[in-house]
Amino acid sequence: MTAVGPTRAERRRNTEQRILAAARELFAERGFERTTIRAVASAAQVDPALVMQYFGSKQELFSQAVRISVAGAEDRPRTGGPEALTDSLLASLGMKIGGLPEASLAMLRSMLTHPEAAEAARTALDHQITELATAISAGHQGKHQNGHHQAEDARLHAALAVATMVGVTIGHQLLGIDDLRRASPEEIAAALRPALHALVTGAE
């Protein structure tokens, strides 16, 4: 019996995935501005016209390539008290230092020069801040009757914690700061633990 080859639709899907994989790698390496349709086509071993036929523009190609959210499941803070929240944040940071998915790297590398990347990053980070602020507030119910941990205060603390982690991730993964690169994930976690713990507990 003659083997049945892939259908036209399957071939198209395979080609699209190959183009997206090439685009993801190049956007992660070069950012939005320095990545060209011709370079993506070359990496995917297709004609540049085919990339445009499938995606229409570099903007749409970028949008689909980085569709995987920056805020993955590992970024969701666990419920529990300050110790559990601090452990969760540090575990998430350890995963980022160990290596980010190419879609996330593409987003981070492009967010300072490309408006859509910046907006997508803000949306993802705002989601993380909301979840962390909720967890901070829940962990302090009944402990602060003076309103110290009202919603606005919890969001500020959450935003500072998330911003700290983003800064360390960018410094380590994108900028390659020598002192961060030389330190082990355990050393970085030990140095950050008091600051993050203070933010989730509301210590002055």
Side-chain angles (χ1 to χ4, degrees):
M1 181 180 293
T2 303
V4 178
T7 65
R8 182 176 179 180
E10 289 171 337
R11 288 197 302 271
R12 179 186 175 96
R13 281 196 298 271
N14 290 339
T15 301
E16 285 180 345
Q17 290 306 310
R18 197 164 72 248
I19 293 170
L20 285 172
R24 219 170 270 128
E25 181 177 348
L26 288 173
F27 284 131
E29 178 185 337
R30 304 178 183 179
F32 181 85
E33 299 296 336
R34 294 176 56 235
T35 297
T36 65
I37 291 294
R38 185 174 296 278
V40 172
S42 176
Q45 299 182 322
V46 299
D47 191 279
L50 191 62
V51 179
M52 295 301 291
Q53 178 185 329
Y54 283 4
F55 298 97
S57 66
K58 187 169 82 166
Q59 173 69 52
E60 180 60 24
L61 176 62
F62 178 81
S63 297
Q64 294 198 37
V66 301
R67 185 165 289 171
I68 299 174
S69 174
V70 191
E74 73 274 6
D75 293 320
R76 295 175 184 170
R78 297 180 302 202
T79 57
E83 292 295 338
L85 289 177
T86 303
D87 287 343
S88 180
L89 290 170
L90 291 171
S92 173
L93 181 62
M95 293 178 187
K96 291 179 172 66
I97 290 175
L100 288 169
E102 285 181 338
S104 298
L105 276 174
M107 183 78 74
L108 289 173
R109 197 177 293 281
S110 302
M111 67 183 182
L112 296 181
T113 60
H114 185 54
E116 180 168 324
E119 181 58 31
R122 277 193 296 269
T123 298
L125 294 174
D126 185 69
H127 179 69
Q128 292 182 41
I129 289 167
T130 297
E131 288 200 334
L132 180 56
T134 300
I136 290 173
S137 295
H140 290 84
Q141 285 181 354
K143 296 182 181 180
H144 295 273
Q145 301 300 325
N146 61 1
H148 184 69
H149 278 278
Q150 293 178 342
E152 295 83 357
D153 193 54
R155 283 194 65 86
L156 174 60
H157 285 224
L160 288 168
V162 169
T164 298
M165 294 173 61
V166 169
V168 172
T169 302
I170 290 175
H172 188 280
Q173 290 288 312
L174 299 186
L175 300 179
I177 295 174
D178 289 339
D179 293 290
L180 291 178
R181 286 287 194 178
R182 282 196 294 266
S184 68
E186 292 76 19
E187 289 174 318
I188 293 173
L192 280 177
R193 178 177 288 277
L196 292 177
H197 189 268
L199 286 170
V200 301
T201 58
E204 300 291 339

